[in-house]
Amino acid sequence: MRRYAAAAVLLLVVGCARGPSLETRGRVTASPGDSRHLTVGSAGFTESDLLAHMYALLLEHAGFTTSLITVANRELYEPALESGRIDVVPEFAATFADWLNARTNGPDAPPVGSPDLDTTMKALRRLAAPRGLAVLDPGRAVDRNAFAVTRAYAREHRLRTLSDLGGSGLKVRLAAGDECVRRPYCAPGLRKVYGIDVIAVDPKGVGTTQAKRAVQSGRDQMVLTTTTDATLDAFGLVLLADDRHLQNADHVVPVVGRSRAGGARVGKALGALNSVLTTRDLASMNEQVDSRRRLPGDVARAYLEGKGLLK
C-alpha cells in the first residue's frame, strides 16, 4: 500500500558536509539496509513524477510498502536522502555527478560528468558513497540536452545531425536559457565541436513553449530542449542528432539511501526497469501526462503492466 504526501515540505538544514560526520558515519559504513517501508521522492516535474511512481509500484510488487513525496529541488532532497527522510529518488547520472562534485569540491570544481557513461558512473559513485548514498545501475533511458529545428528547415537544408548544420554554414539564432551563452554544452560547444555559426542566444528558456514558438515562426532557427521532450511534433520540430557526443551521459539512475534501501532486493526490483525503459518510452509517457492530462500514476502503472513488470 502506498501513502501519499503531495506537496510535502521538508524542513532541512542544507549543510556543506564533505563526507560522513560522527553522527552519520554509522549509516555510511554499516551493511546495506533493507527497510520494509520506503519513501520515494520526486522532484515535482512530469518525468520525475513518472519515474517515482514506477519505482514505487515496482517496490510494492517486490513486497515493500511505499510513500511518495514531492521535493522541489536537489538542495532539499539530496540532504533528505542522506538523513533517511527519503529513501529513493530518480536521478540523471551526469547532472547529479556534477551537482555532488560542486557541493563537495566547490562551485568552481571542474565537471566530472562526461559523454562516457562508465566514466560518469565511476565519478558519481565515488562522490555519492561518502554521503551514505548508493547509485544503482543506469537504464537505457537518457534525458539529456538536445537541439531541434523545424521539419521544413531540416528538409530544406538536408539536416539530420548537428554536424550537418555546422557544415551548412547557416547562421543560427538559438532559443535557449540565458546560461547557454557560457555553458560548454550549449553555444560554446556548438561552435567548438560542430562549427555551428551561433550568432545569438534568444533567452526564452529550455524547451519552453515560448522558445519553440520562436523557432516555429522563424524568428530563431534552433531551440535547446531535451531528448524526452513530448511536444516537438505539435510544433513541427525535429531533433538533430548529437553525432559528435557534445552532451553528457544523463542516463536515468535510481539513487538510494544505503542504510535503509541499499539492499539487494531494492536493486533487483528497480533494476527490472533498466532493460525495458527507453528514451522514446519516457517521451511518450511525458506526452500522455502533459498533453493528454492523464495522471502520472495511471500512466506509470499502464506502462509497467504493458511491459509485464506488474501482474
Side-chain angles (χ1 to χ4, degrees), residues 55-227:
Y55 289 0
L57 288 165
L58 288 169
L59 289 168
E60 287 176 2
H61 187 63
F64 296 91
T65 60
T66 66
S67 297
L68 283 172
I69 190 168
T70 297
V71 186
N73 55 54
R74 286 186 183 92
E75 286 75 13
L76 291 178
Y77 70 65
E78 191 278 332
L81 273 170
E82 291 189 35
S83 70
R85 299 189 190 193
I86 295 176
D87 301 304
V88 184
V89 295
E91 261 295 354
F92 304 94
T95 296
F96 194 46
D98 284 338
W99 190 88
L100 284 179
N101 186 44
R103 188 168 180 232
T104 302
N105 299 312
D108 297 325
V112 295
S114 81
D116 182 76
L117 180 59
D118 288 342
T119 299
T120 297
M121 288 298 297
K122 287 177 183 176
L124 175 54
R125 285 172 166 152
R126 184 176 65 248
L127 290 159
R131 298 181 177 278
L133 306 181
V135 183
L136 305 186
D137 290 339
R140 297 162 59 195
V142 184
D143 185 355
R144 57 163 65 101
N145 295 302
F147 297 91
V149 298
T150 66
R151 285 195 190 89
Y153 187 83
R155 186 165 51 247
E156 177 185 358
H157 299 290
R158 298 182 180 180
L159 306 177
R160 296 178 60 190
T161 68
L162 290 171
S163 289
D164 292 339
L165 182 56
S168 72
L170 293 165
K171 296 184 182 301
V172 173
R173 277 175 55 91
L174 176 61
D178 54 9
E179 72 279 0
C180 178
V181 173
R182 60 184 181 278
R183 291 287 175 87
Y185 66 79
C186 204
L190 292 174
R191 295 186 184 107
K192 180 178 179 180
V193 175
Y194 287 106
I196 296 172
D197 189 4
V198 180
I199 59 172
V201 172
D202 191 3
K204 286 184 163 54
V206 179
T208 63
T209 296
Q210 184 184 23
K212 290 171 188 169
R213 284 178 177 163
V215 176
Q216 187 181 41
S217 70
R219 169 184 168 85
D220 299 330
Q221 286 71 52
M222 188 162 67
V223 60
L224 170 63
T225 182
T226 65
T227 51

Side-chain angles (χ1 to χ4, degrees), residues 5-26:
V9 177
L10 296 181
L11 300 178
L12 302 169
V13 177
V14 181
C16 298
R18 294 170 182 255
S21 65
L22 291 175
E23 292 79 10
T24 63
R25 185 171 289 120

